[in-house]
Amino acid sequence: MSSRTLPLLFINLGGEMLYILDQRLRAQNIPADKAKKVMNDIITTMFNKKFLEELFKPQELYSKKALRTVFDRLAHASIMRLNQASMDKLYDLMTMAFKYQVLLCPRPKDILLVSFNHMDAIKDFLKDTPSILSQVDETYQQLIEMYTPLSGGDFQLIRQTLLIFFQDMHIRVSIFLKDKVQNSNGRFVLPTSGPVPYGTQVPGLIRMFNCTGEEVNRLQFTNGGNYTAAVREGSFEIFGDRFTKLGTNMYSVSRPVETHLSGKSKNSSQHTKVSAAPNPLAKEELNLLARLMGGLEVDRAGHVDSSFRVNLFATDEEEEEASLSRPNELSYGVINIQATKDQQANAELTRIMGEFTESGDQSPSSSSKGDDLLALMDGL
């Protein structure tokens, strides 16, 4: 398992989450100032310096439930509210979109280009907010320094780690079903045509060499597809043409998006399998996020009127029906976090909180009391 997979997983899922939320905010005609605040608050939380320092430490992936907890907190890092069914749908869309992108990458290293497409989109969301943009640029530089020197074998290990993480997720998505890139059982249909990976040749030729390295014979064969040579490689610089559509916004053309559990997935016990002993670094990272987000003071009087709910379904009735029909093992309860006691007892945490709030006013969704996240993670 690759220890460098977690940052790419987090950034790509985060990018997909922002695409989906942006589309829904527009569809529900949320005022532009509120929509912008939602996006800015979520991105500011995603790219918090202290949190990213923990994220970029070499570590193995942790359980699906742990990762879901992070994105629950991120999605509610602003004045926006999501009901359980909408949060489930949001997470399903995020994970299936990125899974499809990983499967379609012509070569493992192209996962980095997908990540850069997500980063480019995040920067575009922030084009009018330079204070937050600097945080994103720092992360860009970290990605370049960490991943561009890696070998093809390293990226192959990262790709395999991602596919193992996603292997039991077979949620049907309406966009994929309509485009016929997903079967009714939730599995993706991979093309047998198109450009070959950059640096490789179109299949169809066998060359034979003698012991001195001289070519002595050639054989042609039918490759079974309509392949073309790759025109050029995408750019791995901060500014450049990625030359791939993977990782760009598939919701830019407005159309309804629905998710459905495949029949096999409804009864599969595989979805309930999680790590019995989560990586200690992962638990510390989640606990840090809990403190950063849960320990902030919430001005309840100032946000009662400004908060609003986003529904990822067409109607409230559809949302309620989805909530009732979703198998319990596939739903994740929202974990409430109480970090006030930690904040008062820990001077270092207070300093971190000060750095966290410098980038802008944050409005996390919950100030209700709950168990410490580290204790909760012991049971995941």
Side-chain angles (χ1 to χ4, degrees), residues 226-325:
N226 183 22
Y227 297 102
T228 59
V231 178
R232 57 187 174 85
E233 186 178 28
S235 172
F236 291 93
E237 302 296 328
I238 291 182
F239 301 101
D241 184 1
R242 311 304 173 197
F243 205 65
T244 177
K245 295 297 183 182
L246 299 177
T248 57
N249 191 354
M250 68 177 181
Y251 308 99
S252 55
V253 177
S254 180
R255 48 181 173 171
V257 185
E258 299 298 332
T259 57
H260 308 277
L261 298 175
S262 65
K264 183 177 179 180
S265 297
K266 289 181 181 179
N267 300 315
S268 175
S269 62
Q270 291 178 327
H271 288 273
T272 63
K273 294 180 180 179
V274 294
S275 173
N279 186 289
L281 282 177
K283 295 202 299 184
E284 285 302 317
E285 178 181 325
L286 283 166
N287 217 33
L288 174 62
L289 181 65
R291 291 169 177 170
L292 289 173
M293 301 178 69
L296 291 172
E297 294 296 330
V298 180
D299 183 2
R300 303 179 72 82
H303 294 295
V304 169
D305 295 331
S306 61
S307 63
F308 60 91
R309 185 171 67 89
V310 171
N311 186 356
L312 268 73
F313 296 84
T315 64
D316 290 345
E317 289 74 16
E318 287 185 20
E319 184 181 48
E320 183 177 356
E321 181 182 351
S323 179
L324 295 174
S325 63

Side-chain angles (χ1 to χ4, degrees), residues 125-296:
F125 284 130
L126 299 172
K127 56 188 175 183
D128 299 325
T129 317
S131 60
I132 310 175
L133 195 58
S134 61
Q135 300 178 49
V136 179
D137 285 336
E138 287 183 20
T139 306
Y140 243 127
Q141 199 58 45
Q142 283 181 283
L143 289 171
I144 292 173
E145 292 174 0
M146 177 180 289
Y147 291 101
T148 52
L150 297 185
S151 66
D154 291 328
F155 277 106
Q156 174 64 10
L157 188 56
I158 289 173
R159 182 177 185 272
Q160 288 301 112
T161 303
L162 288 170
L163 292 178
I164 290 171
F165 182 84
F166 289 126
Q167 66 180 345
D168 295 328
M169 299 182 183
H170 305 297
I171 309 298
R172 293 177 295 167
V173 179
S174 62
I175 286 180
F176 295 142
L177 293 170
K178 290 174 183 176
D179 291 344
K180 301 187 184 304
V181 298
Q182 191 179 33
N183 290 325
S184 58
N185 61 3
R187 298 183 182 274
F188 288 110
V189 179
L190 301 182
T192 58
S193 301
V196 298
Y198 178 80
T200 62
Q201 297 179 345
V202 175
L205 176 66
I206 299 174
R207 296 187 297 166
M208 287 169 279
F209 300 84
N210 60 21
C211 58
T212 61
E214 296 177 351
E215 184 178 331
V216 295
N217 194 16
R218 290 191 173 196
L219 294 176
Q220 299 282 344
F221 68 92
T222 302
N223 57 34
N226 183 22
Y227 297 102
T228 59
V231 178
R232 57 187 174 85
E233 186 178 28
S235 172
F236 291 93
E237 302 296 328
I238 291 182
F239 301 101
D241 184 1
R242 311 304 173 197
F243 205 65
T244 177
K245 295 297 183 182
L246 299 177
T248 57
N249 191 354
M250 68 177 181
Y251 308 99
S252 55
V253 177
S254 180
R255 48 181 173 171
V257 185
E258 299 298 332
T259 57
H260 308 277
L261 298 175
S262 65
K264 183 177 179 180
S265 297
K266 289 181 181 179
N267 300 315
S268 175
S269 62
Q270 291 178 327
H271 288 273
T272 63
K273 294 180 180 179
V274 294
S275 173
N279 186 289
L281 282 177
K283 295 202 299 184
E284 285 302 317
E285 178 181 325
L286 283 166
N287 217 33
L288 174 62
L289 181 65
R291 291 169 177 170
L292 289 173
M293 301 178 69
L296 291 172

Side-chain angles (χ1 to χ4, degrees), residues 116-130:
F116 284 170
N117 268 339
H118 281 119
M119 291 290 290
D120 291 343
I122 291 170
K123 288 187 67 173
D124 191 54
F125 284 130
L126 299 172
K127 56 188 175 183
D128 299 325
T129 317

